[in-house]
Amino acid sequence: MVAVQNFKGGVGKSTISVHLAQYLAIRGYRVLLIDCDSQASATTLFGYVPDLDLSEDDTLYPFLRQDELLSVDYAIRKTHFDGLDLIPANLRLFQSEYELAARMARGQGALLDRLSQGVASVADRYDVIVIDPPPALGAISLSVLRAATALVVPVPPTVMDFSSTAAFLAMLDETMQVLGERDLAPELSFIRFVASKVDENKSMQKELIGLMRQIFGTSMIRSPLKDSAEIDNATARLMTVYELQGPVTSRAVRDRCLAYLDGVNSEIELDLRATWPSHLKRLRKEGLA
C-alpha cells in the first residue's frame, strides 16, 4: 500500500499517483488506485466529471461514516486499464473530514484505522494499492498514513516547495510520535522522494536537486520527473501520457517524457518488489537489491 503524499498542493501528487498505477498495471500487476482527495484530480483523469457522474455513495464517504459497512468493495470500479481498478472521489468526500475530526474529538481515535480496515478488506485481490490523499494534514491524511506501508513524496525543486516539504517532514515526524504514543504509528517499508515538475533549464533547480540528494541520500529517486508539455497536453484531454495514441507535441518530447515517467516508476517498482520476500531473492540474484 503506497501513498503518494505531500501536504502541499500543486507538487504533482495526482499525476504521479495515476501514472504509477497505470505503469504497474501495464507491467502486469493487479492494482487498485484509491482517490482520497475531494478535489478528485485522479478520478477526473479516468474520464469522470466527479460531481456530476458520481454521488457520495460511490466514494469512500459511506465507509468512513458508517461503522456497519465491512468492506470498500461497493466503491470499486473497473477502469479501461486491464488490471487497474479505481475507488473514485468527489467533493462530498471533504465532508468526512469534519465528521471524522468531530468523532475523534469525542474520543473515537480508532477511526484512524477505518481506512486501513477498508483497504485490508480488499487487499487480497491486488498486488499493489496506490493511495492519493488530500494535500493537507487532516483526518483523512492521517488515516492514509495508517493504511500505507510505503510513502512516495513528490518535491518540486523550488525554494517554496522545498521549504514546504521540510515543514511537511517536521509535521510528519511529530504526527508519527503522537501516533506512536497511542500505538497507531504506521510501519513503513520505505519512504522515497521524487524531484517532480523539474525544469532542466533553470540553474537554481539543479542546485536544489543537488541539495535534496545530499539531504535525502538513497531515499531520493535517481530519476527526476521533468516538467513536460506532453503531460500538460494529456491532462488537458483528461488522459495520461500512457494513454495517448501518439505524440501531441513531437515524438522526441513524448519519448523524453515517457523516459522520465518510466524511470521514476521503475525505481518505485523495485522498492515495492523488495518488500516481497520471493521477489527480493530474485532481485538479489539480478544484482538489483
Side-chain angles (χ1 to χ4, degrees), residues 104-121:
M104 286 166 59
R106 294 195 296 267
Q108 295 176 279
L111 286 171
L112 285 181
D113 278 330
R114 189 68 178 139
L115 179 59
S116 183
Q117 293 163 1
V119 169
S121 72

Side-chain angles (χ1 to χ4, degrees), residues 2-3 8 57 65 67 72 75 80 86 100 126 147 178 193 204 215 236-237 241 247 260 267 269 278-279 281 284-285:
V2 55
K8 184 179 184 301
D57 292 335
R65 71 195 302 247
D67 295 339
V72 295
H80 52 284
L86 171 71
L100 284 173
Y126 301 100
V178 172
F193 298 87
M204 178 57 72
I215 293 173
R237 290 163 172 77
V241 179
Y260 306 149
E267 286 192 52
E269 180 192 4
S278 59
H279 282 240
K281 291 178 182 177
R284 283 172 174 165
K285 286 181 181 178

Side-chain angles (χ1 to χ4, degrees), residues 245-264:
Q245 296 298 310
V248 178
T249 48
S250 68
R251 184 163 298 278
V253 171
R254 172 180 164 79
D255 289 347
R256 281 198 304 271
C257 183
L258 283 172
Y260 306 149
L261 289 166
D262 289 348
V264 169

Side-chain angles (χ1 to χ4, degrees), residues 85-105:
D85 293 345
L86 171 71
I87 294 182
N90 67 6
L91 195 58
R92 287 292 295 167
L93 190 59
F94 187 69
Q95 186 66 28
S96 63
E97 285 279 7
Y98 297 108
E99 295 181 11
L100 284 173
R103 292 174 66 187
M104 286 166 59

Side-chain angles (χ1 to χ4, degrees), residues 42-265:
T43 298
T44 302
L45 286 176
F46 283 92
Y48 293 103
V49 179
D51 297 301
L52 292 178
D53 299 334
L54 302 165
S55 73
E56 63 185 45
D57 292 335
D58 298 316
T59 72
L60 286 173
Y61 186 54
F63 185 80
L64 293 176
R65 71 195 302 247
Q66 298 174 29
D67 295 339
E68 62 273 14
L69 282 177
L70 301 179
S71 175
V72 295
D73 175 75
Y74 71 90
I76 294 176
R77 291 173 172 243
K78 296 291 182 184
T79 72
H80 52 284
F81 260 72
D82 186 36
L84 174 56
D85 293 345
L86 171 71
I87 294 182
N90 67 6
L91 195 58
R92 287 292 295 167
L93 190 59
F94 187 69
Q95 186 66 28
S96 63
E97 285 279 7
Y98 297 108
E99 295 181 11
L100 284 173
R103 292 174 66 187
M104 286 166 59
R106 294 195 296 267
Q108 295 176 279
L111 286 171
L112 285 181
D113 278 330
R114 189 68 178 139
L115 179 59
S116 183
Q117 293 163 1
V119 169
S121 72
V122 296
D124 60 344
R125 304 185 202 174
Y126 301 100
D127 301 307
V128 183
I129 296 176
V130 179
I131 310 175
D132 183 15
L137 180 57
I140 291 180
S141 292
L142 290 175
S143 298
V144 169
L145 279 176
R146 283 288 294 147
T149 58
L151 200 61
V152 173
V153 183
V155 190
T158 69
V159 172
M160 293 297 291
D161 287 305
F162 183 72
S163 299
S164 174
T165 300
F168 161 70
L169 293 174
M171 293 168 66
L172 184 63
D173 181 57
E174 291 179 13
T175 302
M176 293 286 221
Q177 290 183 37
V178 172
L179 291 175
E181 292 170 1
R182 301 167 64 182
D183 294 324
L184 293 172
E187 296 182 6
L188 299 175
S189 300
F190 63 84
I191 300 178
R192 299 282 264 160
F193 298 87
V194 183
S196 59
K197 306 183 80 168
V198 174
D199 185 344
E200 56 191 353
N201 295 318
K202 294 181 178 178
S203 59
M204 178 57 72
Q205 291 203 5
K206 293 180 181 178
E207 292 182 29
L208 279 170
I209 289 175
L211 179 61
M212 288 160 60
R213 287 186 173 134
Q214 289 179 30
I215 293 173
F216 300 136
T218 56
S219 294
M220 182 87 177
I221 288 179
R222 293 187 298 273
S223 303
L225 183 55
K226 296 184 180 180
D227 205 8
S228 174
E230 201 72 4
I231 293 177
D232 295 336
N233 287 322
T235 302
R237 290 163 172 77
L238 302 183
M239 301 171 73
T240 69
V241 179
Y242 289 135
E243 295 176 84
L244 294 175
Q245 296 298 310
V248 178
T249 48
S250 68
R251 184 163 298 278
V253 171
R254 172 180 164 79
D255 289 347
R256 281 198 304 271
C257 183
L258 283 172
Y260 306 149
L261 289 166
D262 289 348
V264 169
N265 291 330

